[in-house]
């Protein structure tokens, strides 16, 4: 389905898993590049305020570079 939209020069946002096989992902990426359109994977937490704050602190040199970060959504509401 994503390939159909990319072939029509439409931007595509795919949820994870992007594809089940590496060669399928590679084909979609090439199709997007050839058609000069956008192909993105959904990353739920990428724009979360905590992630943005961590990136800002790292950018200012106020944190050591991270090697690994695990975020867990626990749906605790305001807590």
């Amino acid at each position: 389905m994503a390939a159909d939209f990319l072939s029509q020069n439409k931007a595509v946002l795919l949820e994870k898993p992007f594809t089940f096989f590496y060669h399928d992902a590679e084909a979609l990426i090439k199709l997007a590049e050839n058609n000069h359109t956008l192909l993105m994977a959904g990353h739920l937490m990428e724009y979360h305020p905590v992630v943005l704050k961590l990136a800002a602190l790292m950018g200012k040199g106020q944190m050591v570079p991270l090697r690994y970060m695990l975020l867990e959504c626990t749906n605790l509401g305001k807590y």
Side-chain angles (χ1 to χ4, degrees):
M1 190 182 302
D4 289 340
F5 282 106
L6 291 170
S7 295
Q8 298 173 42
N9 297 331
K10 297 185 187 242
V12 174
L13 171 67
L14 291 174
E15 247 327 309
K16 298 171 298 298
F18 196 79
T19 62
F20 290 113
F21 302 102
Y22 176 81
H23 64 274
D24 291 336
E26 198 170 53
L28 287 177
I29 291 166
K30 286 181 183 177
L31 184 58
E33 289 173 350
N34 291 340
N35 288 312
H36 306 287
T37 191
L38 188 63
L39 173 63
M40 293 177 49
H43 294 282
L44 180 66
M45 302 300 284
E46 184 175 355
Y47 300 104
H48 190 280
V50 170
V51 174
L52 295 175
K53 181 65 174 182
L54 285 171
L57 290 172
M58 287 173 33
K60 293 178 183 176
Q62 295 176 331
M63 283 185 62
V64 297
L66 294 178
R67 293 180 59 197
Y68 179 81
M69 179 170 50
L70 174 67
L71 299 174
E72 185 173 326
C73 184
T74 57
N75 293 325
L76 295 175
K78 294 181 182 181
Y79 298 101

